[in-house]
Amino acid sequence: MEELLVVSKCICLAFPSEEHYEQCMKDAGAFRQFLTTMYSQYPELFPRQMSQGFKFHSFTPFSRKQEGFRMRRIELSDGNVYQIRPYFMMPYLIARSDEVEKALYLCKWGVSFGALTYVFGHNDMFWYRAYISMGCNSIVGATVKDPARLPEHLVTDEKHTRLNGEKVYAATVANECIWGVGLADNAGTEALTDGYGHFKEEALNLKPDYQPKSVNTDGWEHTQRTWKDLFPSIAVILCFLHAFLNIKDRCKRHKELLRSISEKVWDIYHAETVAQFSQRIRRLRQWASTITIDSVKDKVLKLCDKAPQLLDFKLL
């Protein structure tokens, strides 16, 4: 399967004015000072290798689309070369930003490309390319500016969806809000590592030494392996809800039994200390031995067996 996301080799920055941009293009010292200032204020806009410094590489040729315009390139410590594009030019220099701003704003309300052509000129493909060229923003970088606010504890899951008619998995990272979404073409460890890896890349761009303490997952072993590969010291915690739902599925005809189990299971979930958690698990295991429905008993005992994996990291 082809790459689902493409890493941009262009960094778009908000120069104070076009005159300032032209001045920086003529004065390498002014350009370096501007880049250094922008990196200190908005590190999420840059690749994380920017922390190791940069050097000027070259200039792009003068644009055939925007007469007299060109950009400067910088090279990072890993050898990758990036173009510095000012905010007033669209990606690929297809137009000036102020020329297409109002038309692209209407895309937010579902206005068709054909309608944009009728009102603003050009052609349908021009507006389609302008819309697509905006690319993918960094979810982490757009959500938080202060590296100290990156979440220590994460919740993850894979959502089954389709891309161009093919089944794919949306690898989602959350903690009170969505922190990352990447696509994987299968549910194996390698594919999920690529999918969840986009969150790691964006987080490291903001904070190079970022290391979450725990991640809450379902029982899928490839998901758990993926997070251990991405962050070796992370604590993997099984989702308590998934464990309970497995029991609930066996109690569809036994509502009174389900009510009793749910009270005991969620009492465990709300334990405030490790000792309290362990004590309630032992009591649940003892009580489970009295259940006469084997399929239900097995699920409750399995929950007890997985207690160490269900233990909330914040209780440790």
Side-chain angles (χ1 to χ4, degrees):
M1 187 175 182
E2 295 182 359
E3 284 291 325
L4 299 173
L5 293 174
V6 178
V7 178
S8 174
K9 288 300 181 71
C10 188
I11 301 171
C12 182
L13 299 177
F15 287 80
S17 64
E18 293 189 37
E19 290 74 17
H20 182 263
Y21 176 75
E22 292 299 331
Q23 179 185 352
C24 288
M25 289 294 287
K26 298 174 182 177
D27 184 345
F31 206 121
R32 178 174 292 277
Q33 181 179 2
F34 174 74
L35 288 181
T36 302
T37 301
M38 291 295 288
Y39 176 68
S40 66
Q41 295 178 350
Y42 310 104
E44 70 276 7
L45 298 178
F46 297 82
R48 69 173 185 272
Q49 291 81 8
M50 186 75 174
S51 62
Q52 301 175 25
F54 68 93
K55 63 181 180 181
F56 290 118
H57 183 273
S58 59
F59 291 93
T60 64
F62 284 102
S63 172
R64 290 179 294 178
K65 301 175 185 177
Q66 305 296 326
E67 185 177 355
F69 180 82
R70 62 176 179 171
M71 295 181 288
R72 186 185 281 276
R73 300 186 181 103
I74 62 171
E75 181 177 347
L76 303 186
S77 60
D78 60 358
N80 281 316
V81 176
Y82 293 82
Q83 297 177 358
I84 305 299
R85 175 170 57 83
Y87 74 98
F88 53 82
M89 285 294 180
M90 288 289 291
Y92 306 107
L93 307 185
I94 61 171
R96 294 179 57 87
S97 300
D98 55 5
E99 294 174 350
V100 297
E101 175 188 1
K102 291 181 171 58
L104 293 181
Y105 175 77
L106 295 177
C107 290
K108 179 179 180 180
W109 313 107
V111 176
S112 69
F113 299 124
L116 297 182
T117 299
Y118 180 76
V119 176
F120 296 98
H122 296 289
N123 56 61
D124 297 3
M125 187 56 67
F126 171 87
W127 293 114
Y128 168 76
R129 288 171 175 165
Y131 179 74
I132 294 298
S133 71
M134 298 300 290
C136 300
N137 293 324
S138 166
I139 297 178
V140 176
T143 303
V144 62
K145 301 298 182 183
D146 183 0
R149 299 184 63 186
L150 284 171
E152 294 183 338
H153 307 283
L154 303 169
V155 178
T156 66
D157 201 2
E158 297 84 47
K159 170 68 175 178
H160 298 192
T161 185
R162 290 189 175 276
L163 177 66
N164 296 329
E166 299 292 332
K167 183 177 180 179
V168 294
Y169 300 82
T172 308
V173 185
N175 180 321
E176 298 184 354
C177 67
I178 299 298
W179 286 92
V181 179
L183 295 181
D185 58 359
N186 64 73
T189 303
E190 183 177 352
L192 290 179
T193 299
D194 288 340
Y196 284 118
H198 294 293
F199 162 76
K200 177 180 179 180
E201 180 70 20
E202 292 179 2
L204 293 182
N205 283 340
L206 185 61
K207 185 179 181 182
D209 60 347
Y210 174 65
Q211 175 65 52
K213 293 181 178 179
S214 73
V215 59
N216 192 288
T217 76
D218 59 16
W220 186 240
E221 61 177 331
H222 294 287
T223 304
Q224 298 174 24
R225 290 177 186 169
T226 288
W227 282 96
K228 279 294 186 182
D229 289 343
L230 292 173
F231 300 101
S233 66
I234 200 169
V236 177
I237 302 171
L238 288 183
C239 175
F240 217 99
L241 176 62
H242 280 82
F244 174 71
L245 291 178
N246 287 335
I247 298 173
K248 183 180 178 181
D249 290 342
R250 299 295 189 276
C251 295
K252 293 180 179 179
R253 300 180 181 179
H254 311 282
K255 294 184 178 180
E256 288 300 321
L257 177 59
L258 176 61
R259 186 175 294 109
S260 297
I261 295 174
S262 63
E263 290 176 356
K264 297 179 184 297
V265 168
W266 291 110
D267 189 44
I268 295 171
Y269 175 78
H270 289 101
E272 297 180 355
T273 65
V274 174
Q276 194 177 68
F277 179 89
S278 301
Q279 182 185 56
R280 293 176 183 181
I281 284 289
R282 288 194 297 270
R283 290 177 178 174
L284 177 63
R285 186 186 296 275
Q286 294 171 357
W287 179 82
S289 64
T290 66
I291 300 176
T292 58
I293 304 171
D294 290 340
S295 60
V296 177
K297 180 193 293 186
D298 289 343
K299 289 297 181 181
V300 175
L301 291 176
K302 283 184 178 180
L303 183 149
C304 295
D305 292 338
K306 294 178 179 179
Q309 297 169 280
L310 293 166
L311 185 60
D312 193 327
F313 183 88
K314 288 175 284 187
L315 295 180
L316 298 177

